[in-house]
mmCIF file with all atom_site columns, all heavy atoms in Angstrom:
data_model
loop_
_atom_site.group_PDB
_atom_site.id
_atom_site.type_symbol
_atom_site.label_atom_id
_atom_site.label_alt_id
_atom_site.label_comp_id
_atom_site.label_asym_id
_atom_site.label_entity_id
_atom_site.label_seq_id
_atom_site.pdbx_PDB_ins_code
_atom_site.Cartn_x
_atom_site.Cartn_y
_atom_site.Cartn_z
_atom_site.occupancy
_atom_site.B_iso_or_equiv
_atom_site.pdbx_formal_charge
_atom_site.auth_seq_id
_atom_site.auth_comp_id
_atom_site.auth_asym_id
_atom_site.auth_atom_id
_atom_site.pdbx_PDB_model_num
ATOM 1   N N   . TYR A 1 142 ? -6.597  91.641  157.729 1.00 96.00 ? 317 TYR A N   1
ATOM 2   C CA  . TYR A 1 142 ? -7.771  92.463  158.234 1.00 96.00 ? 317 TYR A CA  1
ATOM 3   C C   . TYR A 1 142 ? -9.026  91.607  158.148 1.00 96.00 ? 317 TYR A C   1
ATOM 4   O O   . TYR A 1 142 ? -9.363  91.129  157.059 1.00 96.00 ? 317 TYR A O   1
ATOM 5   C CB  . TYR A 1 142 ? -7.918  93.713  157.350 1.00 96.00 ? 317 TYR A CB  1
ATOM 6   C CG  . TYR A 1 142 ? -8.883  94.716  157.906 1.00 96.00 ? 317 TYR A CG  1
ATOM 7   C CD1 . TYR A 1 142 ? -8.624  95.437  159.079 1.00 96.00 ? 317 TYR A CD1 1
ATOM 8   C CD2 . TYR A 1 142 ? -10.108 94.985  157.265 1.00 96.00 ? 317 TYR A CD2 1
ATOM 9   C CE1 . TYR A 1 142 ? -9.565  96.345  159.555 1.00 96.00 ? 317 TYR A CE1 1
ATOM 10  C CE2 . TYR A 1 142 ? -11.054 95.890  157.720 1.00 96.00 ? 317 TYR A CE2 1
ATOM 11  C CZ  . TYR A 1 142 ? -10.742 96.581  158.888 1.00 96.00 ? 317 TYR A CZ  1
ATOM 12  O OH  . TYR A 1 142 ? -11.663 97.427  159.403 1.00 96.00 ? 317 TYR A OH  1
ATOM 13  N N   . GLU A 1 143 ? -9.649  91.413  159.259 1.00 93.00 ? 318 GLU A N   1
ATOM 14  C CA  . GLU A 1 143 ? -10.738 90.440  159.336 1.00 93.00 ? 318 GLU A CA  1
ATOM 15  C C   . GLU A 1 143 ? -12.047 90.952  158.731 1.00 93.00 ? 318 GLU A C   1
ATOM 16  O O   . GLU A 1 143 ? -12.859 90.211  158.283 1.00 93.00 ? 318 GLU A O   1
ATOM 17  C CB  . GLU A 1 143 ? -10.991 90.056  160.761 1.00 93.00 ? 318 GLU A CB  1
ATOM 18  C CG  . GLU A 1 143 ? -9.798  89.242  161.359 1.00 93.00 ? 318 GLU A CG  1
ATOM 19  C CD  . GLU A 1 143 ? -10.056 88.830  162.767 1.00 93.00 ? 318 GLU A CD  1
ATOM 20  O OE1 . GLU A 1 143 ? -11.125 89.174  163.327 1.00 93.00 ? 318 GLU A OE1 1
ATOM 21  O OE2 . GLU A 1 143 ? -9.211  88.134  163.370 1.00 93.00 ? 318 GLU A OE2 1
ATOM 22  N N   . ALA A 1 144 ? -12.261 92.269  158.732 1.00 94.00 ? 319 ALA A N   1
ATOM 23  C CA  . ALA A 1 144 ? -13.503 92.868  158.182 1.00 94.00 ? 319 ALA A CA  1
ATOM 24  C C   . ALA A 1 144 ? -13.374 93.003  156.669 1.00 94.00 ? 319 ALA A C   1
ATOM 25  O O   . ALA A 1 144 ? -12.408 92.548  156.041 1.00 94.00 ? 319 ALA A O   1
ATOM 26  C CB  . ALA A 1 144 ? -13.822 94.174  158.855 1.00 94.00 ? 319 ALA A CB  1
ATOM 27  N N   . LYS A 1 145 ? -14.361 93.667  156.061 1.00 93.00 ? 320 LYS A N   1
ATOM 28  C CA  . LYS A 1 145 ? -14.387 93.835  154.610 1.00 93.00 ? 320 LYS A CA  1
ATOM 29  C C   . LYS A 1 145 ? -13.162 94.654  154.169 1.00 93.00 ? 320 LYS A C   1
ATOM 30  O O   . LYS A 1 145 ? -12.842 95.652  154.765 1.00 93.00 ? 320 LYS A O   1
ATOM 31  C CB  . LYS A 1 145 ? -15.671 94.539  154.171 1.00 93.00 ? 320 LYS A CB  1
ATOM 32  C CG  . LYS A 1 145 ? -15.872 94.712  152.712 1.00 93.00 ? 320 LYS A CG  1
ATOM 33  C CD  . LYS A 1 145 ? -17.113 95.377  152.334 1.00 93.00 ? 320 LYS A CD  1
ATOM 34  C CE  . LYS A 1 145 ? -17.292 95.550  150.836 1.00 93.00 ? 320 LYS A CE  1
ATOM 35  N NZ  . LYS A 1 145 ? -18.578 96.222  150.509 1.00 93.00 ? 320 LYS A NZ  1
ATOM 36  N N   . ARG A 1 146 ? -12.609 94.219  153.054 1.00 93.00 ? 321 ARG A N   1
ATOM 37  C CA  . ARG A 1 146 ? -11.415 94.940  152.558 1.00 93.00 ? 321 ARG A CA  1
ATOM 38  C C   . ARG A 1 146 ? -11.774 96.376  152.155 1.00 93.00 ? 321 ARG A C   1
ATOM 39  O O   . ARG A 1 146 ? -12.842 96.679  151.569 1.00 93.00 ? 321 ARG A O   1
ATOM 40  C CB  . ARG A 1 146 ? -10.892 94.250  151.282 1.00 93.00 ? 321 ARG A CB  1
ATOM 41  C CG  . ARG A 1 146 ? -9.572  94.832  150.792 1.00 93.00 ? 321 ARG A CG  1
ATOM 42  C CD  . ARG A 1 146 ? -9.070  94.035  149.599 1.00 93.00 ? 321 ARG A CD  1
ATOM 43  N NE  . ARG A 1 146 ? -9.846  94.326  148.395 1.00 93.00 ? 321 ARG A NE  1
ATOM 44  C CZ  . ARG A 1 146 ? -9.856  93.581  147.313 1.00 93.00 ? 321 ARG A CZ  1
ATOM 45  N NH1 . ARG A 1 146 ? -9.192  92.456  147.298 1.00 93.00 ? 321 ARG A NH1 1
ATOM 46  N NH2 . ARG A 1 146 ? -10.566 93.934  146.225 1.00 93.00 ? 321 ARG A NH2 1
ATOM 47  N N   . GLY A 1 147 ? -10.898 97.309  152.552 1.00 95.00 ? 322 GLY A N   1
ATOM 48  C CA  . GLY A 1 147 ? -11.105 98.693  152.202 1.00 95.00 ? 322 GLY A CA  1
ATOM 49  C C   . GLY A 1 147 ? -9.745  99.370  152.141 1.00 95.00 ? 322 GLY A C   1
ATOM 50  O O   . GLY A 1 147 ? -8.699  98.781  152.433 1.00 95.00 ? 322 GLY A O   1
ATOM 51  N N   . TYR A 1 148 ? -9.782  100.680 151.811 1.00 95.00 ? 323 TYR A N   1
ATOM 52  C CA  . TYR A 1 148 ? -8.490  101.395 151.641 1.00 95.00 ? 323 TYR A CA  1
ATOM 53  C C   . TYR A 1 148 ? -8.473  102.678 152.427 1.00 95.00 ? 323 TYR A C   1
ATOM 54  O O   . TYR A 1 148 ? -7.876  103.645 152.067 1.00 95.00 ? 323 TYR A O   1
ATOM 55  C CB  . TYR A 1 148 ? -8.323  101.728 150.138 1.00 95.00 ? 323 TYR A CB  1
ATOM 56  C CG  . TYR A 1 148 ? -8.420  100.456 149.275 1.00 95.00 ? 323 TYR A CG  1
ATOM 57  C CD1 . TYR A 1 148 ? -9.569  100.098 148.666 1.00 95.00 ? 323 TYR A CD1 1
ATOM 58  C CD2 . TYR A 1 148 ? -7.283  99.623  149.165 1.00 95.00 ? 323 TYR A CD2 1
ATOM 59  C CE1 . TYR A 1 148 ? -9.668  98.929  147.896 1.00 95.00 ? 323 TYR A CE1 1
ATOM 60  C CE2 . TYR A 1 148 ? -7.342  98.452  148.397 1.00 95.00 ? 323 TYR A CE2 1
ATOM 61  C CZ  . TYR A 1 148 ? -8.501  98.107  147.794 1.00 95.00 ? 323 TYR A CZ  1
ATOM 62  O OH  . TYR A 1 148 ? -8.581  96.955  147.045 1.00 95.00 ? 323 TYR A OH  1
ATOM 63  N N   . THR A 1 149 ? -9.106  102.629 153.629 1.00 97.00 ? 324 THR A N   1
ATOM 64  C CA  . THR A 1 149 ? -9.167  103.830 154.491 1.00 97.00 ? 324 THR A CA  1
ATOM 65  C C   . THR A 1 149 ? -7.890  103.883 155.347 1.00 97.00 ? 324 THR A C   1
ATOM 66  O O   . THR A 1 149 ? -7.147  102.958 155.506 1.00 97.00 ? 324 THR A O   1
ATOM 67  C CB  . THR A 1 149 ? -10.410 103.773 155.395 1.00 97.00 ? 324 THR A CB  1
ATOM 68  O OG1 . THR A 1 149 ? -10.233 102.630 156.300 1.00 97.00 ? 324 THR A OG1 1
ATOM 69  C CG2 . THR A 1 149 ? -11.665 103.625 154.561 1.00 97.00 ? 324 THR A CG2 1
ATOM 70  N N   . LEU A 1 150 ? -7.719  105.062 155.923 1.00 98.00 ? 325 LEU A N   1
ATOM 71  C CA  . LEU A 1 150 ? -6.577  105.256 156.857 1.00 98.00 ? 325 LEU A CA  1
ATOM 72  C C   . LEU A 1 150 ? -6.697  104.299 158.034 1.00 98.00 ? 325 LEU A C   1
ATOM 73  O O   . LEU A 1 150 ? -5.709  103.707 158.475 1.00 98.00 ? 325 LEU A O   1
ATOM 74  C CB  . LEU A 1 150 ? -6.515  106.680 157.319 1.00 98.00 ? 325 LEU A CB  1
ATOM 75  C CG  . LEU A 1 150 ? -5.427  107.009 158.356 1.00 98.00 ? 325 LEU A CG  1
ATOM 76  C CD1 . LEU A 1 150 ? -4.029  106.677 157.805 1.00 98.00 ? 325 LEU A CD1 1
ATOM 77  C CD2 . LEU A 1 150 ? -5.536  108.483 158.754 1.00 98.00 ? 325 LEU A CD2 1
ATOM 78  N N   . LYS A 1 151 ? -7.927  104.127 158.521 1.00 97.00 ? 326 LYS A N   1
ATOM 79  C CA  . LYS A 1 151 ? -8.123  103.213 159.697 1.00 97.00 ? 326 LYS A CA  1
ATOM 80  C C   . LYS A 1 151 ? -7.706  101.789 159.355 1.00 97.00 ? 326 LYS A C   1
ATOM 81  O O   . LYS A 1 151 ? -7.015  101.142 160.137 1.00 97.00 ? 326 LYS A O   1
ATOM 82  C CB  . LYS A 1 151 ? -9.619  103.218 160.057 1.00 97.00 ? 326 LYS A CB  1
ATOM 83  C CG  . LYS A 1 151 ? -9.949  102.309 161.195 1.00 97.00 ? 326 LYS A CG  1
ATOM 84  C CD  . LYS A 1 151 ? -11.437 102.307 161.505 1.00 97.00 ? 326 LYS A CD  1
ATOM 85  C CE  . LYS A 1 151 ? -11.788 101.297 162.636 1.00 97.00 ? 326 LYS A CE  1
ATOM 86  N NZ  . LYS A 1 151 ? -13.233 101.280 162.906 1.00 97.00 ? 326 LYS A NZ  1
ATOM 87  N N   . ILE A 1 152 ? -8.092  101.313 158.164 1.00 98.00 ? 327 ILE A N   1
ATOM 88  C CA  . ILE A 1 152 ? -7.697  99.940  157.768 1.00 98.00 ? 327 ILE A CA  1
ATOM 89  C C   . ILE A 1 152 ? -6.211  99.877  157.545 1.00 98.00 ? 327 ILE A C   1
ATOM 90  O O   . ILE A 1 152 ? -5.544  98.898  157.955 1.00 98.00 ? 327 ILE A O   1
ATOM 91  C CB  . ILE A 1 152 ? -8.478  99.549  156.541 1.00 98.00 ? 327 ILE A CB  1
ATOM 92  C CG1 . ILE A 1 152 ? -9.971  99.377  156.842 1.00 98.00 ? 327 ILE A CG1 1
ATOM 93  C CG2 . ILE A 1 152 ? -7.909  98.235  155.950 1.00 98.00 ? 327 ILE A CG2 1
ATOM 94  C CD1 . ILE A 1 152 ? -10.826 99.091  155.666 1.00 98.00 ? 327 ILE A CD1 1
ATOM 95  N N   . TYR A 1 153 ? -5.616  100.907 156.909 1.00 98.00 ? 328 TYR A N   1
ATOM 96  C CA  . TYR A 1 153 ? -4.126  100.858 156.769 1.00 98.00 ? 328 TYR A CA  1
ATOM 97  C C   . TYR A 1 153 ? -3.426  100.799 158.097 1.00 98.00 ? 328 TYR A C   1
ATOM 98  O O   . TYR A 1 153 ? -2.483  99.991  158.295 1.00 98.00 ? 328 TYR A O   1
ATOM 99  C CB  . TYR A 1 153 ? -3.630  102.071 155.970 1.00 98.00 ? 328 TYR A CB  1
ATOM 100 C CG  . TYR A 1 153 ? -2.093  102.035 155.892 1.00 98.00 ? 328 TYR A CG  1
ATOM 101 C CD1 . TYR A 1 153 ? -1.490  101.160 155.037 1.00 98.00 ? 328 TYR A CD1 1
ATOM 102 C CD2 . TYR A 1 153 ? -1.312  102.760 156.761 1.00 98.00 ? 328 TYR A CD2 1
ATOM 103 C CE1 . TYR A 1 153 ? -0.101  101.001 155.017 1.00 98.00 ? 328 TYR A CE1 1
ATOM 104 C CE2 . TYR A 1 153 ? 0.034   102.646 156.738 1.00 98.00 ? 328 TYR A CE2 1
ATOM 105 C CZ  . TYR A 1 153 ? 0.659   101.749 155.881 1.00 98.00 ? 328 TYR A CZ  1
ATOM 106 O OH  . TYR A 1 153 ? 2.029   101.621 155.868 1.00 98.00 ? 328 TYR A OH  1
ATOM 107 N N   . LEU A 1 154 ? -3.813  101.561 159.049 1.00 97.00 ? 329 LEU A N   1
ATOM 108 C CA  . LEU A 1 154 ? -3.142  101.530 160.377 1.00 97.00 ? 329 LEU A CA  1
ATOM 109 C C   . LEU A 1 154 ? -3.277  100.189 161.051 1.00 97.00 ? 329 LEU A C   1
ATOM 110 O O   . LEU A 1 154 ? -2.342  99.720  161.640 1.00 97.00 ? 329 LEU A O   1
ATOM 111 C CB  . LEU A 1 154 ? -3.713  102.628 161.216 1.00 97.00 ? 329 LEU A CB  1
ATOM 112 C CG  . LEU A 1 154 ? -3.386  104.097 160.788 1.00 97.00 ? 329 LEU A CG  1
ATOM 113 C CD1 . LEU A 1 154 ? -4.124  105.061 161.706 1.00 97.00 ? 329 LEU A CD1 1
ATOM 114 C CD2 . LEU A 1 154 ? -1.914  104.374 160.769 1.00 97.00 ? 329 LEU A CD2 1
ATOM 115 N N   . ALA A 1 155 ? -4.446  99.575  160.879 1.00 97.00 ? 330 ALA A N   1
ATOM 116 C CA  . ALA A 1 155 ? -4.654  98.246  161.468 1.00 97.00 ? 330 ALA A CA  1
ATOM 117 C C   . ALA A 1 155 ? -3.751  97.215  160.781 1.00 97.00 ? 330 ALA A C   1
ATOM 118 O O   . ALA A 1 155 ? -3.087  96.413  161.484 1.00 97.00 ? 330 ALA A O   1
ATOM 119 C CB  . ALA A 1 155 ? -6.118  97.839  161.357 1.00 97.00 ? 330 ALA A CB  1
ATOM 120 N N   . VAL A 1 156 ? -3.701  97.237  159.507 1.00 98.00 ? 331 VAL A N   1
ATOM 121 C CA  . VAL A 1 156 ? -2.849  96.276  158.709 1.00 98.00 ? 331 VAL A CA  1
ATOM 122 C C   . VAL A 1 156 ? -1.369  96.534  158.998 1.00 98.00 ? 331 VAL A C   1
ATOM 123 O O   . VAL A 1 156 ? -0.595  95.576  159.226 1.00 98.00 ? 331 VAL A O   1
ATOM 124 C CB  . VAL A 1 156 ? -3.191  96.314  157.226 1.00 98.00 ? 331 VAL A CB  1
ATOM 125 C CG1 . VAL A 1 156 ? -2.180  95.537  156.409 1.00 98.00 ? 331 VAL A CG1 1
ATOM 126 C CG2 . VAL A 1 156 ? -4.607  95.852  156.952 1.00 98.00 ? 331 VAL A CG2 1
ATOM 127 N N   . ASN A 1 157 ? -0.954  97.764  158.971 1.00 97.00 ? 332 ASN A N   1
ATOM 128 C CA  . ASN A 1 157 ? 0.407   98.126  159.207 1.00 97.00 ? 332 ASN A CA  1
ATOM 129 C C   . ASN A 1 157 ? 0.795   97.697  160.599 1.00 97.00 ? 332 ASN A C   1
ATOM 130 O O   . ASN A 1 157 ? 1.933   97.196  160.815 1.00 97.00 ? 332 ASN A O   1
ATOM 131 C CB  . ASN A 1 157 ? 0.601   99.600  159.020 1.00 97.00 ? 332 ASN A CB  1
ATOM 132 C CG  . ASN A 1 157 ? 2.081   99.952  158.894 1.00 97.00 ? 332 ASN A CG  1
ATOM 133 O OD1 . ASN A 1 157 ? 2.794   99.527  158.023 1.00 97.00 ? 332 ASN A OD1 1
ATOM 134 N ND2 . ASN A 1 157 ? 2.587   100.785 159.871 1.00 97.00 ? 332 ASN A ND2 1
#
Side-chain angles (χ1 to χ4, degrees):
Y317 190 69
E318 295 181 357
K320 183 179 179 181
R321 187 178 74 198
Y323 305 96
T324 64
L325 177 58
K326 178 182 177 181
I327 292 175
Y328 176 74
L329 293 174
V331 170
N332 193 62

